[in-house]
Amino acid sequence: MLKNVDVLIGLQWGDEGKGKIVDRLSGKYDIVARFQGGPNAGHTIYRNNNPVVLHQVPSSIFTPGVISVIGDGVVLNLRTLAEEFAVVIANGGSLENLKIGQGVNLILPSHCKLDELFESKLGEKKFGTTKKGIGPVHEDRAARRGVRINDLRSLDRFDTQIHTLSERHIKLLQTLDSDFSQSNVEDMRLRTQEYIADAFQMRNEILPMLINCSKFFFENRYKEILAEGAQGALLDVMHGEVPNVTSSHISPASACVGLGIPTSRIRNVIGLCKAYVTKVGSGVLPTKQNGNVGATLQERGHEYGATTGRKRDCGYLDLPALAYACRIVGPTELVMTKADVLFGSEIEAKVATAYIFKDGTRSTVYDPDQVHEIDTIEYHSFGKLPKLGDLNEFNKPKELEEYCQFISQQLSDYGVSVNMISFGPEKDQVIEI
Ligand code: IMP
């Protein structure tokens, strides 16, 4: 089988700038497809100097002639989708080339309510989810009772399935939350009814977009395809710092499952990392900086969650964690984003090279089950780094090359080196090295 699928994956805790890079690369492809995640993602791209945040629709939607696919592995909120459609149109885009996998599972208002309740029950131990219903909808998918977008083909079936599932959720909400009153029940029923009504309204627009994913990708086996990951490898449901993770797998294998293609179709794997690290939600960010360093990165990088608006924790680039992500994802290319945030700031630039644990042992290996035991971090310092300005092939400060070379050396066991640098939010602020 022809290898014609490249996969783009974040190698940190999400927010690596995937939207911008997909927007930039999408012109080289015939098809761009999302394969996991859902409205928890926030991919920012710039249109006429204005940021546009996409949650479920692929970041290629504004690229003329490219088919954008929401693959079966995605979980979709139809209400959020309607809002995104409006954003795309308002920003001069078109939905003409958008396709949606029939197997996409739908997020109902009661999934979001359950997400909120589960979080509140956890108290101090909450995961810090985006409250978009991600955990509960994946539970239903795995339990084989989820509602699929294909069910919208039959109005009766759709109506019955949503009511059945939402009544099940209401029972659960009542059982787990003694404050969930009769008026809450009625409110939830009303919101479910509104969701169904909205879905019926969107039906004529959505049905022609539906595809059988595996058939579509087989028929397009000679086309150039980019699979766009969401979140980041360190939030993988199995290989991240469980339970402070999302509910999907974030790897090239997940692209195969989410799009219905065999692994033999995968060609390149484009890994993305920021020049530093950020994280939202609960869990350990080993290199987190609380003082001026964290605040500087936060401010210069505008580090607020694109979906929830929460402040992101910021810290130095963590090479053991990046190496761990490379182990899972196997990138063949590495893109470093937001170099302009680190370079030209007043802070001393460093990268983490090893962890010292509370028992005094030292390790250069990130293990999600041991991160709570980290006591101190060993860093390699680069001192203050110069402002980058407008980079091109002939104008690259030697400090930038040294920074990238150091990263590449540390990742040499994984056969990957930094070969693209993004140094600003605009699509053309990228150089290849
Ligand atoms: P959930 O995916 O909403 O269940 O959230 C689980 C964890 O993943 C939380 O810590 C979220 O902050 C984090 N998370 C989910 N999606 C993203 C994302 O797109 N970027 C960064 N963090 C995310």
Side-chain angles (χ1 to χ4, degrees):
M1 184 85 71
L2 196 71
K3 287 187 189 293
N4 64 337
V5 181
D6 293 340
V7 189
L8 182 140
I9 293 192
L11 298 175
Q12 293 163 330
W13 291 268
D15 311 314
E16 298 90 355
K18 294 179 285 291
K20 173 196 156 155
I21 301 298
V22 171
D23 186 28
R24 175 174 170 98
L25 296 179
S26 56
K28 293 208 242 167
Y29 295 91
D30 302 302
I31 301 166
V32 175
R34 282 275 312 271
F35 57 87
Q36 47 73 227
N40 49 348
H43 293 182
T44 307
I45 59 179
Y46 277 75
R47 293 276 294 164
N48 309 319
N49 297 322
N50 288 321
V52 178
V53 183
L54 299 169
H55 300 283
Q56 308 170 119
V57 168
S59 304
S60 51
I61 195 74
F62 294 107
T63 312
V66 174
I67 296 178
S68 297
V69 178
I70 300 175
D72 284 349
V74 172
V75 289
L76 199 67
N77 186 320
L78 283 179
R79 286 202 130 176
T80 319
L81 191 68
E83 286 162 18
E84 259 182 282
F85 281 0
V87 168
V88 171
I89 305 291
N91 283 281
S94 145
L95 303 171
E96 208 183 339
N97 284 330
L98 180 66
K99 313 254 176 237
I100 306 177
Q102 293 171 172
V104 157
N105 268 234
L106 295 180
I107 302 174
L108 311 185
S110 45
H111 283 124
C112 302
K113 194 75 200 160
L114 283 170
D115 194 355
E116 263 176 47
L117 178 67
F118 293 156
E119 279 286 90
S120 73
K121 290 266 161 205
L122 286 169
E124 292 281 287
K125 292 190 172 150
K126 68 173 189 212
F127 309 147
T129 73
T130 58
K131 304 211 174 109
K132 302 290 177 192
I134 302 298
V137 74
H138 280 90
E139 273 184 49
D140 283 336
R141 176 151 75 186
R144 297 152 292 181
R145 55 175 169 253
V147 181
R148 297 158 84 233
I149 200 163
N150 199 41
D151 295 325
L152 193 52
R153 290 190 194 279
S154 153
L155 293 181
D156 282 350
R157 193 175 63 204
F158 189 75
D159 192 73
T160 310
Q161 282 192 312
I162 293 207
H163 275 119
T164 309
L165 189 58
S166 137
E167 286 303 315
R168 183 188 174 91
H169 291 163
I170 287 173
K171 276 205 189 97
L172 196 55
L173 287 160
Q174 285 176 309
T175 311
L176 296 177
D177 180 6
S178 52
D179 292 336
F180 200 77
S181 63
Q182 192 52 35
S183 87
N184 292 140
V185 171
E186 272 146 35
D187 180 56
M188 187 46 68
R189 286 190 178 137
L190 185 67
R191 282 166 60 192
T192 306
Q193 203 50 53
E194 284 168 358
Y195 185 91
I196 295 172
D198 286 352
F200 283 3
Q201 264 201 353
M202 293 173 80
R203 189 170 176 265
N204 287 345
E205 194 175 17
I206 285 184
L207 290 191
M209 294 178 178
L210 296 190
I211 52 165
N212 171 325
C213 262
S214 63
K215 180 170 175 278
F216 175 85
F217 286 107
F218 183 73
E219 285 168 356
N220 285 290
R221 63 194 176 279
Y222 299 114
K223 297 274 175 65
E224 289 291 304
I225 299 168
L226 178 66
E228 174 182 4
Q231 289 78 50
L234 299 173
L235 290 174
D236 182 280
V237 64
M238 196 179 285
H239 301 292
E241 186 215 327
V242 180
N244 298 307
V245 292
T246 190
S247 299
S248 57
H249 290 288
I250 301 153
S251 72
S254 179
C256 294
V257 175
L259 301 180
I261 58 169
T263 50
S264 53
R265 294 274 296 270
I266 304 292
R267 182 178 49 198
N268 296 317
V269 178
I270 307 161
L272 258 74
C273 69
K274 276 187 204 175
Y276 51 98
V277 292
T278 60
K279 188 177 191 314
V280 271
S282 310
V284 178
L285 181 65
T287 61
K288 178 178 163 183
Q289 300 295 309
N290 287 318
N292 180 42
V293 173
T296 304
L297 292 170
Q298 213 264 327
E299 198 187 308
R300 285 175 60 87
H302 311 290
E303 296 295 354
Y304 292 91
T307 300
T308 57
R310 292 177 291 179
K311 257 189 185 183
R312 295 174 185 148
D313 288 335
C314 299
Y316 287 122
L317 182 65
D318 184 336
L319 287 172
L322 185 59
Y324 175 78
C326 288
R327 210 193 305 157
I328 298 163
V329 170
T332 54
E333 297 171 28
L334 187 57
V335 182
M336 185 176 83
T337 59
K338 292 195 138 179
D340 55 308
V341 173
L342 184 68
F343 282 68
S345 75
E346 282 306 300
I347 60 174
E348 177 191 359
K350 298 182 192 176
V351 295
T353 50
Y355 310 124
I356 313 290
F357 294 99
K358 288 173 188 157
D359 65 3
T361 55
R362 176 184 180 276
S363 175
T364 55
V365 178
Y366 175 92
D367 177 342
D369 285 321
Q370 280 191 340
V371 287
H372 287 277
E373 297 306 314
I374 295 173
D375 184 32
T376 49
I377 310 259
E378 274 181 21
Y379 289 102
H380 175 89
S381 173
F382 293 86
K384 278 190 193 168
L385 295 171
K387 194 168 181 294
L388 291 181
D390 211 7
L391 302 180
N392 60 47
E393 204 187 324
F394 309 103
N395 175 25
K396 283 177 284 185
K398 69 172 189 336
E399 290 86 348
L400 180 62
E401 298 204 31
E402 280 163 12
Y403 193 79
C404 294
Q405 266 164 15
F406 189 84
I407 297 170
S408 303
Q409 264 164 18
Q410 299 279 314
L411 298 177
S412 58
D413 282 352
Y414 303 91
V416 68
S417 53
V418 180
N419 49 359
M420 195 189 267
I421 301 167
S422 163
F423 57 95
E426 295 292 337
K427 209 161 136 168
D428 56 1
Q429 290 178 301
V430 165
I431 48 162
E432 294 189 21
I433 53 171

